[in-house]
Amino acid sequence: LSTGEVIPANPALKKNLKRLQRRQRTLSHKVKGSRRRAKAKLRVARLHQRIRNQRQAVLHKLSDQLTRTYQVITIEDLNVTGMTKNRRLARAVADVGFGELRRQIEYKAQWRGVTVVIADRWFPSSKTCHVCGELHDMPLSQRTLVCDCGHVMDRDLNAAKNLDQYGRDALRRDLRRFPNKSLPVELSCRRLI
């Protein structure tokens, strides 16, 4: 987050993914059509359901916390399909569930009257220094941004600060389009109680 808060990965999920590997391995050793294979298959199915529920619970908790805490949320439109093609990132990206998180943030924001700004896919959030605005060449392996202005910062925190500024600028542009300071229809969704 732009505040510097880091949302950690779910350790219980990692533990259950290891357990799933073991259970699938034992299932593959069972004789097809046997009663023990049926039991093992049921165990694997239950664990799949548990993992799915854990992922959903983490996403609901995070989206709920974000929409209750912040009035403006800026999300980057990421190329998730491309990210899953990178074999080193694929599992981590798939576990996070960016698409589902975005969907949950959008509908909960609509309930609570929170503004959601979607940053363009090509916006250079991690390549731009948030202090001076200079653009850098940043390969994915480089985790810190070192700018000529003397600013040194973690790549992800720098991107979050740039996205925060992007969201603020987008809101200012919308307010300038509506001189009577009323927000456009998409931005003024309020929940009726």
Side-chain angles (χ1 to χ4, degrees), residues 20-34 36-38 40-41 43-44:
L20 180 65
Q21 273 183 333
R22 284 195 307 272
R23 286 193 182 171
Q24 285 178 328
R25 199 177 308 124
T26 59
L27 173 64
S28 69
H29 292 293
K30 303 293 183 206
V31 177
K32 288 189 178 177
S34 70
R36 287 186 182 186
R37 182 179 171 88
K41 195 172 181 181
R43 273 192 225 112
V44 169

Side-chain angles (χ1 to χ4, degrees), residues 1-190:
L1 302 179
S2 61
T3 57
E5 182 184 346
V6 178
I7 289 108
N10 186 3
L13 179 66
K14 287 185 178 183
K15 184 178 169 184
N16 278 332
L17 287 172
K18 288 275 188 195
R19 189 176 290 157
L20 180 65
Q21 273 183 333
R22 284 195 307 272
R23 286 193 182 171
Q24 285 178 328
R25 199 177 308 124
T26 59
L27 173 64
S28 69
H29 292 293
K30 303 293 183 206
V31 177
K32 288 189 178 177
S34 70
R35 190 175 277 163
R36 287 186 182 186
R37 182 179 171 88
K39 283 183 182 179
K41 195 172 181 181
L42 188 62
R43 273 192 225 112
V44 169
R46 280 193 191 126
L47 192 56
H48 270 295
Q49 180 71 29
R50 185 180 181 89
I51 289 169
R52 180 182 173 278
N53 291 343
Q54 281 181 326
R55 283 184 176 137
Q56 282 290 332
V58 167
L59 292 177
H60 274 294
K61 185 177 176 185
L62 177 61
S63 61
D64 197 53
Q65 176 197 352
L66 291 175
T67 55
R68 284 182 190 277
T69 309
Y70 301 103
Q71 205 55 41
V72 178
I73 299 172
T74 307
I75 309 171
E76 195 168 12
D77 183 26
L78 296 171
N79 180 14
V80 178
T81 309
M83 291 167 76
T84 53
K85 288 179 182 171
N86 181 342
R87 65 185 186 87
R88 291 197 171 103
L89 290 176
R91 169 53 69 82
V93 169
D95 281 345
V96 170
F98 288 122
E100 179 64 15
L101 180 63
R102 177 179 170 173
R103 186 189 72 79
Q104 288 181 13
I105 286 175
E106 285 176 342
Y107 84 76
K108 288 178 185 180
Q110 202 170 20
W111 286 354
R112 297 186 175 117
V114 174
T115 305
V116 177
V117 179
I118 308 295
D120 182 36
R121 181 174 287 193
W122 306 112
F123 176 66
S125 59
S126 56
K127 296 179 180 182
T128 308
C129 175
H130 86 277
V131 175
C132 66
E134 186 181 340
L135 218 64
H136 298 277
D137 186 34
M138 293 272 295
L140 197 57
S141 59
Q142 188 177 347
R143 300 310 305 162
T144 55
L145 175 91
V146 181
C147 187
D148 298 335
C149 68
H151 186 73
V152 178
M153 185 177 264
D154 178 62
R155 174 193 186 110
D156 297 329
L157 181 58
N158 181 59
K161 290 195 180 280
N162 282 330
L163 286 170
D164 182 39
Q165 191 59 46
Y166 182 94
R168 291 170 195 257
D169 293 344
L171 276 180
R172 278 192 215 108
R173 283 193 301 269
D174 280 345
L175 287 174
R176 274 191 222 117
R177 272 195 303 178
F178 300 92
N180 62 357
K181 297 200 181 200
S182 67
L183 290 173
V185 177
E186 307 90 48
L187 299 177
S188 64
C189 300
R190 295 273 182 240

